Amino acid sequence: MRCISNGYDDMQHFLLSAQARTISLKAVFSMGEDKAYRTFCEMRWPETEGEAVCPRCGCVETYNITSRRKFKCVACHHQFSVTSGTIFASRKMSFTDLLAAIVIFVNGAKGVSSLQLSRDLDCQYKTAFVLTHKLREAMAKEMAGRQLDGTVEIDGAYFGGYSKPENRKEDRKDRRLKMNLTGKRQCVVIMRERNGKSLPFVVKNEGDAVPYVRDHVGTLATICADEGAGWDALHAGWETKRVNHSVAFMDKGVCTNQAESYFSRLRRMEVGTHHHIAGPYLYAYAGEASWREDNRRVANGGQAAMVTAAAMASRVSRQWKGYWQKTR
């Protein structure tokens, strides 16, 4: 029974409660550039409570060059900033804007488009596009080498490769046939622990994900999958339970509902926010959806701190550099 006290519902969903809102854009912009800068220092060097550590030799004794927000190492005389050697290296945005971008990014339950972010921060679309992909790259570091155990649900869904139908009915082709496909369609496969972490992969067909299962799922795990032929090979290595979705979504406790929950979020990201996620960037968006699902019960302030810490711990991006170096 629900208990109503002081006009509020004690059984209120976490995402609707005040506990889910621990940071806001108002708080970010009111903190000022100095406090935002200090926040990045604390995320970069948490073990020294924000005191600079030389990235070249590891010396903890440094001089502050306050006129340029830089540091100089006492031992090797190397000059560096709080973002040197990180994914934010060579930044041009202020620390306040960077922190605001991270808060806007994590606040989007179904993602945030680069166009919206560019308008919110008054920056170029290309700058917002590269920045969001850098954040996705930092978030993906958390999933590197992840192992799944217990009950693991696995499923796949196809994205991209859309074939536009002809105008006249007599000219239209059966788009279900392989010969009429564009060949650009890709399959996102999600492996998700029951009430645990998840791990996405992008492959050509569902069955191509079996080698990834061998690398990332423990041999004592129980796998739940649908009746897709691509999952037949799983029986050779794990206790595998199957459910026929043409008959039931759940059969004697066997289901892939949490995997379907992930695809529900990813589909809404595609249809409602980003519109075009297929192609070379599909894995980045798949990883973002996985991170959002795994941390959906973390307050937005905690999520912002996690993304900021991941970005400051990531090395310079080799993929996302071009547009970031251009001026407005």
Side-chain angles (χ1 to χ4, degrees):
M1 179 180 294
R2 292 185 174 182
C3 176
I4 308 296
S5 60
N6 300 323
Y8 294 95
D9 189 347
D10 290 342
M11 298 294 289
Q12 187 180 39
H13 193 284
F14 169 75
L15 296 180
L16 302 179
S17 67
Q19 289 76 18
R21 305 185 304 274
T22 57
I23 194 171
S24 66
L25 282 176
K26 179 174 71 174
V28 171
F29 286 119
S30 64
M31 71 169 52
E33 183 70 4
D34 290 340
K35 192 172 181 180
Y37 171 70
R38 188 62 190 171
T39 299
F40 277 89
C41 289
E42 293 171 354
M43 291 296 180
R44 175 74 187 273
W45 301 295
E47 64 282 353
T48 58
E49 298 181 351
E51 296 301 320
V53 178
C54 179
R56 178 174 292 178
C57 69
C59 180
V60 296
E61 294 188 41
T62 60
Y63 297 111
N64 287 334
I65 306 177
T66 55
S67 60
R68 293 184 292 157
R69 289 194 190 278
K70 282 195 171 186
F71 307 95
K72 185 174 182 179
C73 178
V74 172
C76 67
H77 308 294
H78 174 59
Q79 292 188 14
F80 59 95
S81 69
V82 66
T83 57
S84 294
T86 73
I87 210 165
F88 290 140
S90 303
R91 63 166 186 92
K92 288 184 173 63
M93 299 180 73
S94 67
F95 291 103
T96 303
D97 283 348
L98 283 178
L99 197 57
I102 293 173
V103 173
I104 294 172
F105 185 78
V106 301
N107 278 346
K110 295 182 287 293
V112 176
S113 71
S114 300
L115 181 60
Q116 178 180 333
L117 185 63
S118 71
R119 291 174 174 176
D120 289 341
L121 297 180
D122 188 23
C123 63
Q124 282 192 21
Y125 169 81
K126 294 181 237 185
T127 300
F129 180 78
V130 172
L131 175 58
T132 53
H133 271 290
K134 283 188 173 185
L135 296 179
R136 294 183 186 103
E137 184 177 310
M139 292 159 63
K141 303 289 186 182
E142 181 183 332
M143 294 180 284
R146 176 175 289 174
Q147 286 290 122
L148 306 180
D149 292 293
T151 300
V152 178
E153 298 180 8
I154 184 169
D155 200 4
Y158 289 88
F159 293 81
Y162 175 73
S163 299
K164 186 176 181 180
E166 298 292 340
N167 178 46
R168 301 189 63 83
K169 182 177 180 180
E170 59 269 21
D171 297 331
R172 294 173 189 168
K173 300 176 182 178
D174 189 347
R175 292 181 291 169
R176 296 171 297 179
L177 300 178
K178 186 175 182 179
M179 66 181 68
N180 295 327
L181 297 178
T182 63
K184 297 180 180 179
R185 188 173 69 160
Q186 299 177 88
C187 180
V188 175
V189 172
I190 185 68
M191 299 184 294
R192 189 172 186 182
E193 290 177 340
R194 290 267 174 92
N195 303 314
K197 298 295 184 179
S198 59
L199 192 60
F201 294 96
V202 177
V203 292
K204 187 66 176 178
N205 299 293
E206 269 189 349
D208 298 337
V210 173
Y212 295 101
V213 180
R214 295 194 183 101
D215 293 337
H216 296 279
V217 178
T219 56
L220 299 180
T222 299
I223 295 180
C224 294
D226 58 24
E227 288 292 322
W231 308 129
D232 293 344
L234 297 177
H235 290 274
W238 297 268
E239 180 186 0
T240 305
K241 299 179 180 180
R242 312 286 287 274
V243 57
N244 189 344
H245 283 162
S246 64
V247 176
F249 293 118
M250 177 183 289
D251 185 14
K252 299 178 182 179
V254 181
C255 68
T256 58
N257 288 348
Q258 292 195 23
E260 296 292 351
S261 175
Y262 164 83
F263 284 121
S264 176
R265 185 187 294 266
L266 186 57
R267 288 291 186 193
R268 286 195 292 266
M269 287 173 61
E270 178 191 33
V271 175
T273 302
H274 301 295
H275 307 308
H276 301 288
I277 66 174
Y281 307 135
L282 179 57
Y283 178 75
Y285 291 105
E288 177 191 349
S290 175
W291 189 93
R292 292 186 184 279
E293 279 289 290
D294 292 347
N295 298 287
R296 66 194 184 282
R297 294 295 184 270
V298 178
N300 66 338
Q303 290 183 356
M306 292 168 63
V307 173
T308 305
M312 298 307 288
S314 300
R315 300 297 90 194
V316 177
S317 176
R318 297 304 174 190
Q319 181 179 6
W320 299 103
K321 294 189 68 174
Y323 287 143
W324 188 259
Q325 307 297 330
K326 294 183 179 180
T327 58
R328 292 189 61 185

